[in-house]
Amino acid sequence: PRSPPRSPPPPPPPPSPPSMPPPPLMCTADALSAGGLLRATLSCGDSVVADLALGEHHIFAVGADAAGSRVTFSTCGGTDFDDVLRLERCYAPGGDGDYLAMSDDDCALQARVQRRFSPDWSPDQEPVFLELAGYSDGDGGAYKITVECHDTATANAPPPPPPFPPSPLITADLLA
């Protein structure tokens, strides 16, 4: 008895498309500026009002006056959409940056992040960026970021002693 002829083996599957390399990290203000991503440098006491289009990310450099301070970046009460704030050393499109801190829904749907910067911190030596984005690609609109700085030397110092009580003789003379 003869066996039926064998069919040829199936062809090999087509090769997989090459994987895309991750987007490059942007770790300097120059790189972010060249890419058209850097909006401004934030300094202590700043208040920035702008609009975030759907799917956009706004990137800000942290200014040198943050050195020696505990800095709070906040959109609390100033944003009309669900936002996210990230402090990062490097920004990467797609959200794979080098995060130092992140906040979402810290105050209702808005965000607040804090960071202590050492007195010898310098944005030239160790740049730090603040990224504002919608929680999802469908979130965007008007926003306000405020920047508050508190001197860590005075913020951690004990309160000053109370003033000396007035002398009873001086008080008696003033009341007479």
Side-chain angles (χ1 to χ4, degrees):
R2 286 195 99 156
S3 58
R6 291 188 179 184
S7 57
S16 299
S19 63
M20 296 296 292
L25 288 176
M26 293 182 224
C27 302
T28 66
D30 289 343
L32 287 163
S33 292
L37 296 170
L38 189 65
R39 308 235 354 141
T41 296
L42 296 175
S43 297
C44 295
D46 277 355
S47 181
V48 175
V49 177
D51 287 308
L52 183 76
L54 300 180
E56 258 188 344
H57 296 240
H58 287 184
I59 312 297
F60 301 88
V62 176
D65 63 342
S69 297
R70 178 177 45 85
V71 183
T72 302
F73 303 91
S74 174
T75 59
C76 297
T79 300
D80 62 5
F81 61 94
D82 190 359
D83 66 9
V84 176
L85 287 176
R86 295 180 189 99
L87 273 178
E88 49 203 17
R89 285 190 186 101
C90 297
Y91 170 75
D96 292 325
D98 183 4
Y99 299 141
L100 301 168
M102 181 182 139
S103 173
D104 173 40
D105 299 345
D106 201 45
C107 42
L109 293 178
Q110 285 78 51
R112 177 187 308 127
V113 291
Q114 289 187 346
R115 174 147 174 97
R116 285 186 194 272
F117 290 87
S118 68
D120 59 346
W121 174 81
S122 162
D124 295 329
Q125 300 299 316
E126 183 189 348
V128 174
F129 304 99
L130 179 73
E131 175 186 1
L132 169 76
Y135 178 76
S136 70
D137 284 342
D139 291 313
Y143 69 84
K144 178 180 178 181
I145 297 174
T146 58
V147 183
E148 295 178 9
C149 298
H150 305 280
D151 182 8
T152 55
T154 58
N156 296 326
F164 291 105
S167 163
L169 294 175
I170 295 174
T171 304
D173 289 341
L174 291 175
L175 294 175

